[in-house]
Amino acid sequence: MTAAGWVTMIIALVVVWGGVIWCFRKVLETPQEEKAPPGFGA
Amino acid sequence: MASAQQEQWGTKLGVILAVAGSAVGLGNFLRFPGQAAANGGGAFLIPYFAALLLLGIPIGWAEWAMGRYGGKKGFHSAPGIMGLMARNSAGRYLGVIGVLIPLGVSFYYVFIEAWTFGYFLKFLTGGVGIDVSAPIADQAATASAFYNSFTGTAQDGVLFTGDSKLTIISWIIVFTLNIFFVFRGLSKGIEKFCSYAMPAMAVLAVIVLVRVLTLGTPDPNLPDQNVVNGLGYMWNPNYSKLGDFQTWLAAAGQIFFSLSVGFGVIINYASYMKRNDDVALSGLTASATNELFEVGFGGMITLTAAFVFLGVSGTTAAVATGSFGLGFSTLPVVFAHMGPIGNMVGAAWFFMLFLAAITSSLSMYQPAVALLKESLGWSHQKATAGIAALGTIGAILTLWFTQGGAFWSTVDFWVGTYLIFIMAGVQIIYFAWVFGIDRGWKEIHNGASIQIPPVFKFIMKYVAPVYLIIVFVGFTVQNLAASVRASWASTGSRVGMITIGATLLFLILVVRSGQARWRREGRDLNDTQPAD
């Protein structure tokens, strides 16, 4: 594996792992809207 | 007027995992690495991420926003929602494509899903009979013979008349599972299944990845065939490929098909969100999840494993056989070389592929179920039974006309590839130019917990449509003539074309009936009143 190969692979992995971690953290930080109790309609 | 009792997702995470499950499929693990290796290795990632930012994510956001907007007006089918966007019947009839694609693809996709399940069963019970002491060519021949027999590619009808019924049994099991989860409904069925299947898929991917990365140099006599060189095969960049239009076309195509934009699923799934649920972050998260499976797992596992056992020439030959050849003929040879745990790694791999496939196929039935419900006023149970009946007819044709894969590859080209370009183009043009980019931008940000950079407004209005048209023209020039010829070349392909036509006609009649029904009910089908 060339040095350019290592650099490309590491950047790509940082982007995809970083992206998914950032997104899921943000989703989980946002408060979940409470579900209406049954019988109250949609 | 929206219907009084609408189905909804149970949680925010639920819809994200369901959409990500729909997007993550066999292509993430089998198609992406082959495309990357053949088109510049690491350099492929430049046009790939460019297409993600300029095409995949923006069109995805438009689709999420359109779906949620349609849901506010009580529409869940692509025809209903596209009619709102276009404000006329033409939009509704173009929206038929958004149901034809997932339904048509489901006919053969569940068949391929049955392969993953059947291979999983085989590896769980001892593998596919490869003798690792035989010459490598003989091992490859054994794996290919099993694949050809399992998929019935030699002759039409052989899956029904041949000795082994494993393919049919596998299909019955996976089709029944699909219908069971769709029958249970959106939240209790699809959402619940994806909430378990997606983490399970990630765990299995990590297990297989760790095993592959710790293979070292399995054969000391072949010191070049090691993990690091295997990674190099996939990742070493060849920047000269960036000057080749084919590389940019392949990258855009990969992003496009991988993210499921223009497939008719996101628009349907998003319509079940609550009116202020976040579509901006949800869309981004689903795309990010897809990229993790594609680049982070698919890009690390498949070719690396093939390389350490087969070397440069063997891996290049495997890539040339295409995604299915790589996954179902080459990798069984690789697993056979992994020693005593090879069968378990193989079982984990094929079960992971099965989960990737079933979370995708589940999403293919829901758009058609939604259309039957809202167009014909059918109950969920009746609509699911109707789609199960249609799916069975489509599957029987797929299972019978297996010679050379002519039937399913014809449906795959026209419905699962060509129409996706058209659907995505129609969607982004309706959203940015007819619904209006200012209104659309506001709709995307309604309830959003992130602010999308304003440059994406420009990208959605100008760059994405132009990019899409260039890719579509390039794809057409490259494939259309040969595909038209192939579509009439055999009985299987002709039956495939007739199946597409018959399904299209059926869906048009359903939409026609639905349109009359919505008018009678006084619904705002042309979006003349505010949604909020």
Side-chain angles (χ1 to χ4, degrees):
Chain A
M1 174 116 129
T2 63
W6 281 109
V7 170
T8 311
M9 186 183 84
I10 289 166
I11 290 173
L13 291 178
V14 167
V15 167
V16 295
W17 276 101
V20 86
I21 290 168
W22 184 87
C23 284
F24 274 100
R25 274 188 65 173
K26 195 89 182 158
V27 168
L28 296 173
E29 275 169 9
T30 314
Q32 168 80 39
E33 193 179 304
E34 282 195 25
K35 257 184 143 172
F40 283 73
Chain B
M1 185 184 76
S3 55
Q5 277 202 322
Q6 290 186 30
E7 277 192 288
Q8 280 190 334
W9 296 104
T11 64
K12 265 188 317 185
L13 204 54
V15 61
I16 292 169
L17 291 177
V19 172
S22 167
V24 177
L26 304 184
N28 294 58
F29 300 100
L30 302 179
R31 191 174 186 273
F32 168 75
Q35 288 287 312
N39 291 288
F44 181 75
L45 272 290
I46 294 172
Y48 177 83
F49 281 123
L52 176 68
L53 288 174
L54 301 177
L55 204 58
I57 291 176
I59 300 179
W61 272 326
E63 209 171 327
W64 278 83
M66 282 190 281
R68 189 187 57 178
Y69 186 82
K72 288 178 194 174
K73 299 235 171 190
F75 288 104
H76 301 288
S77 68
I81 297 166
M82 298 282 281
L84 290 173
M85 293 291 126
R87 297 180 166 182
N88 57 34
S89 296
R92 276 181 283 283
Y93 285 111
L94 279 172
V96 166
I97 301 171
V99 183
L100 176 63
I101 293 170
L103 184 60
V105 170
S106 76
F107 292 163
Y108 64 85
Y109 197 86
V110 177
F111 174 51
I112 296 165
E113 189 177 316
W115 303 355
T116 64
F117 190 72
Y119 269 65
F120 160 67
L121 293 179
K122 286 301 286 184
F123 274 89
L124 211 55
T125 54
V128 298
I130 293 166
D131 176 7
V132 288
S133 62
I136 197 80
D138 291 352
Q139 295 175 37
T142 304
S144 290
F146 180 83
Y147 170 67
N148 291 337
S149 154
F150 193 87
T151 59
T153 193
Q155 193 185 327
D156 288 341
V158 71
L159 294 179
F160 291 90
T161 57
D163 294 336
S164 172
K165 297 289 184 287
L166 182 60
T167 314
I168 302 282
I169 293 166
S170 300
W171 177 82
I172 291 170
I173 293 170
V174 300
F175 184 69
T176 307
L177 281 173
N178 273 282
I179 296 303
F180 171 75
F181 287 114
V182 175
F183 188 82
R184 279 182 62 89
L186 195 73
S187 184
K188 286 183 185 166
I190 296 172
E191 180 176 354
K192 196 159 192 178
F193 181 78
C194 289
S195 69
Y196 288 105
M198 291 302 287
M201 204 190 334
V203 169
L204 289 170
V206 169
I207 291 171
V208 176
L209 176 64
V210 168
R211 181 64 199 112
V212 168
L213 293 182
T214 53
L215 283 170
T217 309
D219 186 348
N221 298 319
L222 299 167
D224 287 343
Q225 289 182 209
N226 59 54
V227 168
V228 172
N229 285 346
L231 290 170
Y233 183 87
M234 163 75 204
W235 289 97
N236 284 342
N238 175 5
Y239 292 111
S240 67
K241 284 276 190 182
L242 293 180
D244 186 351
F245 178 67
Q246 163 60 28
T247 302
W248 292 80
L249 194 60
Q254 179 61 30
I255 277 293
F256 204 67
F257 300 123
S258 177
L259 287 177
S260 288
V261 288
F263 201 83
V265 167
I266 296 174
I267 198 169
N268 168 250
Y269 271 11
S271 73
Y272 300 107
M273 296 175 88
K274 297 180 190 77
R275 57 181 51 233
N276 290 319
D277 271 354
D278 185 338
V279 294
L281 181 60
S282 300
L284 193 64
T285 308
S287 300
T289 308
N290 182 67
E291 292 315 300
L292 175 66
F293 278 98
E294 185 147 294
V295 179
F297 294 127
M300 299 291 287
I301 295 172
T302 317
L303 294 187
T304 312
F307 185 92
V308 295
F309 294 108
L310 306 177
V312 176
S313 58
T315 309
T316 305
V319 168
T321 62
S323 304
F324 295 133
L326 181 63
F328 295 94
S329 286
T330 306
L331 288 183
V333 175
V334 170
F335 296 131
H337 281 257
M338 286 187 178
I341 64 157
N343 282 340
M344 290 317 293
V345 177
W349 167 260
F350 284 110
F351 192 67
M352 181 189 71
L353 290 187
F354 165 66
L355 291 177
I358 192 170
T359 50
S360 300
S361 61
L362 282 176
S363 71
M364 294 171 193
Y365 294 109
Q366 186 63 28
V369 168
L371 179 67
L372 293 191
K373 284 168 74 175
E374 69 188 27
S375 288
L376 306 179
W378 286 7
S379 67
H380 181 76
Q381 287 77 5
K382 191 175 174 184
T384 308
I387 294 307
L390 265 179
T392 304
I393 294 168
I396 288 172
L397 293 172
T398 310
L399 288 163
W400 185 269
F401 293 102
T402 50
Q403 188 170 353
F407 175 87
W408 67 262
S409 52
T410 301
V411 181
D412 179 53
F413 177 80
W414 291 109
V415 178
T417 309
Y418 212 72
L419 282 182
I420 290 179
F421 280 117
I422 293 171
M423 182 66 181
V426 168
Q427 281 181 336
I428 193 67
I429 288 167
Y430 273 152
F431 183 77
W433 291 86
V434 180
F435 188 71
I437 191 64
D438 290 328
R439 201 171 158 212
W441 191 251
K442 202 174 152 197
E443 183 59 31
I444 290 172
H445 284 91
N446 178 18
S449 52
I450 58 169
Q451 172 65 44
I452 300 170
V455 68
F456 275 97
K457 204 170 166 180
F458 177 80
I459 291 171
M460 290 172 91
K461 185 160 185 180
Y462 300 104
V463 180
V466 172
Y467 203 144
L468 188 61
I469 289 167
I470 292 171
V471 172
F472 180 65
V473 170
F475 182 81
T476 300
V477 169
Q478 205 170 58
N479 297 288
L480 193 64
S483 295
V484 168
R485 280 195 299 275
S487 297
W488 295 103
S490 68
T491 308
S493 58
R494 284 191 289 272
V495 174
M497 293 302 286
I498 292 166
T499 305
I500 296 168
T503 312
L504 178 64
L505 182 64
F506 168 73
L507 294 174
I508 287 172
L509 292 175
V510 171
V511 170
R512 190 183 152 92
S513 168
Q515 191 167 243
R517 179 189 189 85
W518 299 331
R519 286 206 174 104
R520 278 198 309 274
E521 290 175 350
R523 293 175 69 169
D524 181 23
L525 70 172
N526 283 338
D527 195 31
T528 54
Q529 295 152 24
D532 292 303

